[in-house]
Amino acid sequence: MKYLHTGFFFLLLFPLPTFAQKWDYQWPMGYEFQSTTIPDISLLDFTGDTVSVYNYAFVNNLSFGATASFICNVEGQLLLLTNNCAVYDADFQLVSGTNILTPEGYDDYCNGGGYIGKQSTVFLPQISNDSIIYLAHKDNIVYNTTESVLSTKLYLSTLVKKTDNTYYLKEKRQLLNGLYNYSHLTACIHVDNNKWWTGMIGYNTNKFYWFLVGGQDTVQGPIVQEIGVPLINNDIGISQSAFSPDATMLASNADVLKQIYLYGFDNATGEMSNPQEIPYPAGVDDIGLGVGFSFDSRLIYATTNNDLYQIDLQDNNSIEHIAHHASLDEDNWPVNMGNITLGPDCRMYIGPGSTTYYIHVVHHPNEKGAACGFEARALRSPANIDIDIPNLPMYRFNGACDSTIQFPYKDTVSATVHDFKDGGVKLFPNPVQDYVTVSFPVQPPAGASLQIFDGLGRPCFKRTLPALNNVFNTVGMAPGLYFYGVKDGERLLQTGKLVKVEL
């Protein structure tokens, strides 16, 4: 089954100068697709010298997307992940004691793979002790009295590494009990580089509840502050909240109102200041969704379901419409825009806002206007993405990132040449077992297609090539030698041989 953002949801760092800490270097995403050929979970991997995405796992009735989160070890290898139903290790084995992680709503949602909503969980590493990991998690439930989805509890679970390097749940604390706006759970570093700020927003109020997590005291708070206008649950809805990399600002996108709520933030005291409302010129039927800051904390990026906007905080909050994108994937499912995540490679990644395969990329987030290098459908996941990339805290403190990590394809700002020399289009792996990737060095022509012929020259496979990175299932092809052609309409761009081998 595929899913798209709808009104249903209303009802229901520290500094890394040497990049030694790599808590966000492997991103798992996907959900059980009830198929033996399409992988459930793929991995977006930044551990090599080039960004890569590949098949990772088949799972049983599990979902890791908009409501999930994850953490890697200090070397960047996937360590733990959660869908708010339980915590799993990198092999999707249950972490001891976490089988009913967030009790409220468990029976209603967890049999279907995961909780509703977004930003319901976030992992927070104990920076001074890599054997301790905290997980903040909140419920998202249908509350009959208000006839809307809201949160009633915030928990903090402490996960501890055993001598065999596996983890277990040592403690689960209930931090808050009341009525709170659902989703919007995020975190940023404390000024001492050893603790994290995280918290919740009161239901239909302007009241914020902040906790300090980590260090010797484990938890301090809540620090409660009323500031700005009330944030109405159904107005901010399923949109995103994010801290700036310099930890001086917090921004939330507003689902219905299509505007950014922006606050100053003091990461020494947790005090908020200077509330602002910044509307952007979205269409009447658009839904405000993602929000993220540039690495230098100057620019805010905001998405609706079909558009990307850029707000310059140093130019009187001037707004530019960066891109409009609405397409269909090969299953005729919408590819839209969703939440925004900063990558370890100094790029910005934008989820599709639906259960499709494609991720958009902003290659130069610190640059204004078209120079930011927005590329639609820049990466294709082998697995269906569960609406968005799982939630991360602001690990990119002070804009720390590794610009030496290369992207396998040129961005659309540079992609002005559409003539391909022999070898410019790549098919890999070759030999192929189950999936073949067709990649272009620049944006492919609108009429680009792949056709595969058997050894007798008979056509047996044809697909359009709409993106720079196009992944296709070859499980139905018999083992043997094939020939391929990549065409732009009737113009032949490249030919070659492809070998199919047994799985």
Side-chain angles (χ1 to χ4, degrees):
M1 180 180 294
K2 293 216 173 193
Y3 304 91
L4 181 70
H5 285 307
T6 69
F8 164 77
F9 286 100
F10 287 121
L11 300 177
L12 297 168
L13 14 120
F14 71 96
L16 307 178
T18 61
F19 308 102
Q21 306 289 356
K22 298 182 177 181
W23 298 307
D24 59 345
Y25 267 60
Q26 291 186 330
W27 299 5
M29 60 191 77
Y31 66 99
E32 184 185 24
F33 197 62
Q34 298 177 340
S35 168
T36 59
T37 57
I38 299 176
D40 300 326
I41 307 297
S42 60
L43 206 67
L44 182 55
D45 195 339
F46 301 92
T47 58
D49 57 6
T50 302
V51 178
S52 61
V53 59
Y54 49 83
N55 303 343
Y56 186 68
F58 287 87
V59 295
N60 181 26
N61 198 31
L62 296 177
S63 174
F64 297 94
T67 195
S69 58
F70 64 92
I71 189 170
C72 303
N73 62 24
V74 294
E75 287 81 30
Q77 302 300 310
L78 183 62
L79 186 63
L80 298 173
L81 65 167
T82 182
N83 58 359
N84 210 8
C85 297
V87 178
Y88 303 89
D89 65 16
D91 297 320
F92 294 92
Q93 299 301 304
L94 180 71
V95 171
S96 177
T98 70
N99 56 309
I100 302 180
L101 186 65
T102 307
E104 297 77 23
Y106 183 88
D107 293 335
D108 294 328
Y109 309 126
C110 287
N111 289 332
Y115 269 57
I116 59 172
K118 288 188 180 183
Q119 290 190 293
S120 301
T121 60
V122 64
F123 281 105
L124 306 172
Q126 175 56 63
I127 298 171
S128 60
N129 185 349
D130 62 8
S131 67
I132 298 175
I133 296 173
Y134 304 104
L135 173 64
H137 50 108
K138 58 189 291 189
D139 62 336
N140 290 327
I141 67 172
V142 177
Y143 195 70
N144 292 331
T145 301
T146 61
E147 297 184 348
S148 64
V149 178
L150 53 78
S151 292
T152 63
K153 294 180 178 65
L154 174 65
Y155 296 93
L156 185 74
S157 291
T158 302
L159 304 159
V160 178
K161 183 164 62 176
K162 297 187 289 188
T163 55
D164 62 359
N165 290 324
T166 63
Y167 282 80
Y168 72 99
L169 176 64
K170 179 180 180 181
E171 179 185 30
K172 181 167 68 177
R173 301 188 188 188
Q174 181 178 299
L175 301 183
L176 288 175
N177 183 11
L179 300 182
Y180 310 93
N181 286 349
Y182 81 115
S183 299
H184 297 276
L185 186 61
T186 186
C188 79
I189 199 77
H190 182 259
V191 70
D192 69 1
N193 296 333
N194 197 39
K195 295 185 285 290
W196 302 89
W197 289 106
T198 192
M200 300 233 282
I201 308 167
Y203 178 73
N204 288 352
T205 73
N206 63 346
K207 187 177 292 186
F208 290 78
Y209 301 79
W210 293 110
F211 291 89
L212 201 53
V213 176
Q216 185 174 358
D217 297 324
T218 304
V219 181
Q220 300 175 53
I223 297 171
V224 183
Q225 182 179 0
E226 295 184 59
I227 185 170
V229 299
L231 300 183
I232 305 304
N233 191 63
N234 283 356
D235 285 347
I236 62 174
I238 57 176
S239 60
Q240 185 181 13
S241 292
F243 280 100
S244 59
D246 64 6
T248 65
M249 290 174 284
L250 173 70
S252 296
N253 203 342
D255 185 327
V256 174
L257 299 181
K258 278 90 74 174
Q259 66 180 18
I260 299 299
Y261 291 101
L262 180 64
Y263 306 86
F265 188 80
D266 186 333
N267 73 330
T269 65
E271 183 178 1
M272 302 173 70
S273 61
N274 190 29
Q276 300 180 60
E277 299 169 54
I278 308 174
Y280 48 87
V284 174
D285 297 326
D286 290 341
I287 301 171
L289 293 172
V291 66
F293 289 84
S294 57
F295 286 84
D296 61 7
S297 300
R298 172 177 177 171
L299 304 171
I300 292 178
Y301 289 81
T303 63
T304 66
N305 42 318
N306 295 128
D307 294 271
L308 176 66
Y309 300 89
Q310 187 189 76
I311 302 167
D312 189 345
L313 300 177
Q314 295 182 16
D315 185 23
N316 297 316
N317 295 340
S318 61
I319 299 172
E320 289 198 56
H321 184 191
I322 298 299
H324 175 84
H325 179 81
S327 65
L328 298 177
D329 65 17
E330 47 267 51
D331 298 326
N332 291 318
W333 192 255
V335 181
N336 295 328
M337 296 198 202
N339 278 13
I340 297 172
T341 307
L342 297 186
D345 59 338
C346 306
R347 295 176 181 87
M348 177 179 283
Y349 291 80
I350 301 175
S354 67
T355 47
T356 182
Y357 310 99
Y358 292 97
I359 297 172
H360 316 296
V361 172
V362 178
H363 290 272
H364 316 294
N366 289 349
E367 301 296 327
K368 288 193 63 174
C372 73
F374 171 78
E375 182 180 343
R377 299 166 66 129
L379 289 174
R380 188 199 188 279
S381 166
N384 285 270
I385 297 166
D386 186 15
I387 298 179
D388 275 308
I389 297 165
N391 190 32
L392 287 170
M394 181 45 67
Y395 286 144
R396 306 284 105 218
F397 182 56
N398 273 345
C401 58
D402 186 355
S403 61
T404 68
I405 301 174
Q406 299 298 306
F407 199 77
Y409 322 105
K410 293 181 181 179
D411 60 84
T412 53
V413 171
S414 305
T416 57
V417 179
H418 296 292
D419 292 324
F420 300 98
K421 298 179 181 179
D422 187 45
V425 183
K426 297 181 180 179
L427 269 72
F428 61 90
N430 192 4
V432 60
Q433 287 187 318
D434 50 356
Y435 286 86
V436 63
T437 298
V438 184
S439 70
F440 290 83
V442 296
Q443 187 68 28
S449 65
L450 167 71
Q451 191 160 7
I452 296 178
F453 305 86
D454 65 17
L456 298 177
R458 295 172 299 192
C460 57
F461 187 97
K462 186 175 182 179
R463 296 290 187 275
T464 59
L465 301 171
L468 291 166
N469 188 28
N470 306 271
V471 183
F472 301 111
N473 185 345
T474 60
V475 171
M477 294 171 56
L481 174 65
Y482 293 84
F483 300 91
Y484 73 84
V486 177
K487 301 177 72 176
D488 172 13
E490 295 302 317
R491 182 167 67 100
L492 190 63
L493 300 178
Q494 185 170 304
T495 61
K497 297 178 181 179
L498 181 68
V499 178
K500 174 67 164 47
V501 296
E502 291 279 8
L503 287 171

